[in-house]
Amino acid sequence: MREFIVEADGGSRGNPGPAGYGAVVIDAATGETLAEAAEFLGVATNNVAEYRGLVAGLRAARELDPAAVVRVRMDSKLVVEQMSGRWKIKHPDMKPLAAEAARILPASQVTYEWIPRERNKHADRLANEAMDAGKRGEQWSAERSTADLAARAARTAAPEPSGPPGDAAAGAARARAALARGVGTSAPTAPAPPDEAADRRAADDARAARNVARTAHADATALPAHAEPTAPSTRAQPHEETPTPADPASSAPSTGSAPSIGSTGAAGATPPPDLGAPATFVLLRHGETPLTPQKRFSGSGGSDPSLSEVGRHQARRVAAALAARGTIEAIVSSPLARCRETAGVVAERLGLDVVVEDGLRETDFGAWEGLTFGEVRERHPEDLNAWLHSAEAEPTGGGESFEAVARRVAVTRDKLVAAYAGRTVLLVSHVTPVKTLVRLALGAPPESLFRMELSAASLSALAYYADGNASLRLLNDTSHLR
């Protein structure tokens, strides 16, 4: 019985916007490309384009051999999980496409597998060729396609670990390759990089690797040069998804060092276990309220203001930016009105529901609610001074200390990491909870809360890995507001 691999992808430049799909059928035994398909769809969403790519790929496989076993590989976790039956299909546009895909071949012949985006480049190129053709007022042409040539060239080239700046897993992969080449070892087998910048990068990558790579044995002394990064990219790609990881860690991120990678390169060393994809939290501070520009304390014990007109405009801007990225799979919000309103604007744009989580609420600032910093200093100078110097000090009138907030946020973090393992979830919260999540991920002291800037409607991002490590990927991004 023949075995085919179907790789499919779809994209939308705007979500919804000009969209296209690409699909390729590969002989599993030889790696030969057997068929390609691509089409410009006009205006559609990312998910519609992905499903259309799947349908085209399965049809092409059936035409080649209706009795073949087919392994579908896609970088859309949504499609993979829905077609595997693990996630419900709620969106009305998705249901008929999923049903159509399911009818093409018997379910017993088809399996679904998530793959990282960088391993789905052939289908991605086809989808982009189709969208480019549509922009020219044409349809995709197989005769003019260069996707297969590019895929062959990529297969014959040496693997180049890649990832977004600051991505710990991608840095670890580069470090593995560097160690295999002898960079930074006691007995190098190849010359070290000739310039200081490259040396520094190799050293940084090695440190990143130590933080995320766990060896199965303490005496493991080498890592494979071909190891690939498993963390998803956070680049602004319109149709990127994330994979499901191994069991998530239930404890707070460790601030200690992982076992040393070693420096001599022993043969037969056991590679580190695959940590899977992290739970990725995209952290959104709510939009402005009337109190925000006045810099007044506005916590969970005050008037619970709604967004101002400026804040609603900010919410619409961030919703458009997140829609263009296409990575958010769920939305969780603080129960306070300003967050629920911000989350609602984003949810409407993305077609998602909002889950309310009480642990994401802002600090209770007690008697300081509604006051400016200067007013608090004038009325409660001793309490303010204690609060600024001790994480255990409470605001006047029995508000929450930073230590109490940290305990609450840590419990909430662990619950959400377990609930959204391997997924990308938007958390809509406030200054103190967002800064606390960042502080805990970095293992930074409480006073670091006063050394972070966090603007209204800003985006930050954290990734939590199965071994308990965390990676800060983004902090206070406001580019979508400019």
Side-chain angles (χ1 to χ4, degrees):
M1 180 179 294
R2 299 179 72 184
E3 182 177 356
F4 297 150
I5 296 170
V6 169
E7 294 177 351
D9 201 2
S12 172
R13 295 170 179 172
N15 196 28
Y21 70 74
V24 56
V25 182
I26 301 168
D27 189 308
T30 66
E32 177 187 1
T33 297
L34 302 177
E36 292 179 313
E39 183 182 359
F40 176 65
L41 300 174
V43 175
T45 65
N46 294 328
N47 292 333
V48 166
E50 288 164 345
Y51 263 109
R52 290 289 299 272
L54 170 64
V55 168
L58 290 173
R59 284 176 175 169
R62 183 182 63 185
E63 290 176 6
L64 290 167
D65 187 345
V69 171
V70 176
R71 284 191 289 141
V72 175
R73 304 195 306 195
M74 299 181 68
D75 62 51
S76 169
K77 184 172 178 61
L78 178 76
V79 176
V80 168
E81 293 298 314
Q82 288 180 342
M83 291 302 299
S84 298
R86 292 185 288 270
W87 288 4
K88 292 182 179 180
I89 305 172
K90 298 181 179 180
H91 200 285
D93 291 344
M94 303 298 108
K95 290 181 179 179
L97 290 170
E100 182 180 0
R103 290 192 298 267
I104 294 172
L105 287 169
S108 59
Q109 292 177 218
V110 185
T111 58
Y112 291 87
E113 174 191 355
W114 181 92
I115 58 174
R117 180 177 175 78
E118 58 267 19
R119 290 174 54 193
N120 200 29
K121 288 184 177 178
H122 192 157
D124 177 74
R125 288 189 184 98
L126 288 169
N128 277 287
E129 285 183 352
M131 286 184 280
D132 290 341
K135 187 176 181 180
R136 298 190 302 267
E138 305 170 357
Q139 274 294 347
W140 176 81
S141 168
E143 290 75 16
R144 298 171 60 181
S145 174
T146 61
D148 187 45
L149 293 174
R152 292 181 189 179
R155 285 195 294 268
T156 58
E160 175 65 26
S162 61
D167 185 290
R174 290 198 300 270
R176 294 168 190 157
L179 288 170
R181 294 193 302 268
V183 175
T185 66
S186 58
T189 57
D195 59 279
E196 292 183 2
D199 285 332
R200 286 195 299 271
R201 179 177 176 181
D204 290 344
D205 289 342
R207 282 192 291 272
R210 293 188 183 98
N211 286 331
V212 298
R214 301 286 181 146
T215 54
H217 303 286
D219 61 348
T221 57
L223 293 169
H226 61 274
E228 293 186 31
T230 57
S233 169
T234 55
R235 294 174 297 171
Q237 296 292 344
H239 52 285
E240 190 171 357
E241 306 284 350
T242 55
T244 303
D247 292 337
S250 59
S251 59
S254 171
T255 58
S257 299
S260 174
I261 290 180
S263 60
T264 58
T270 303
D274 183 0
L275 300 180
T280 301
F281 291 173
V282 178
L283 310 173
L284 170 60
R285 184 190 169 193
H286 61 80
E288 279 192 13
T289 75
L291 300 181
T292 305
Q294 300 175 27
K295 298 188 180 300
R296 296 185 179 275
F297 283 92
S298 181
S300 56
S303 60
D304 194 15
S306 298
L307 296 180
S308 64
E309 184 55 43
V310 170
R312 286 188 285 273
H313 174 72
Q314 291 171 333
R316 291 190 292 269
R317 293 293 295 271
V318 75
L322 292 171
R325 297 183 185 189
T327 57
I328 302 300
E329 300 172 76
I331 300 176
V332 181
S333 173
S334 156
L336 299 185
R338 52 196 181 272
C339 284
R340 289 188 289 107
E341 189 174 350
T342 302
V345 172
V346 177
E348 183 177 5
R349 181 67 183 266
L350 301 185
L352 297 172
D353 297 325
V354 177
V355 176
V356 174
E357 170 54 58
D358 186 64
L360 295 177
R361 70 184 185 277
E362 180 60 287
T363 306
D364 182 347
F365 291 114
W368 301 353
E369 294 279 359
L371 302 180
T372 66
F373 187 87
E375 289 169 340
V376 172
R377 183 170 53 194
E378 180 180 324
R379 301 179 191 183
H380 311 284
E382 293 183 1
D383 290 347
L384 178 62
N385 187 60
W387 182 74
L388 292 173
H389 290 86
S390 173
E392 297 180 356
E394 298 176 350
T396 307
E400 283 183 290
S401 68
F402 284 138
E403 183 62 33
V405 173
R407 288 194 296 268
R408 163 166 61 86
V409 168
V411 170
T412 302
R413 172 204 60 199
D414 294 345
K415 181 171 71 172
L416 294 176
V417 165
Y420 296 99
R423 300 172 67 185
T424 299
V425 55
L426 180 70
L427 306 187
V428 187
S429 189
H430 310 263
V431 170
T432 311
V434 171
K435 287 185 177 182
T436 299
L437 285 168
V438 172
R439 178 180 80 78
L440 295 175
L442 297 177
E447 55 265 30
S448 64
L449 296 175
F450 297 110
R451 294 174 171 83
M452 298 183 220
E453 176 70 22
L454 201 71
S455 304
S458 64
L459 290 169
S460 303
L462 290 165
Y464 296 92
Y465 294 88
D467 67 348
N469 277 295
S471 171
L472 175 63
R473 296 180 163 193
L474 188 69
L475 182 65
N476 197 39
D477 177 22
T478 58
S479 60
H480 49 280
L481 302 179
R482 296 194 286 270

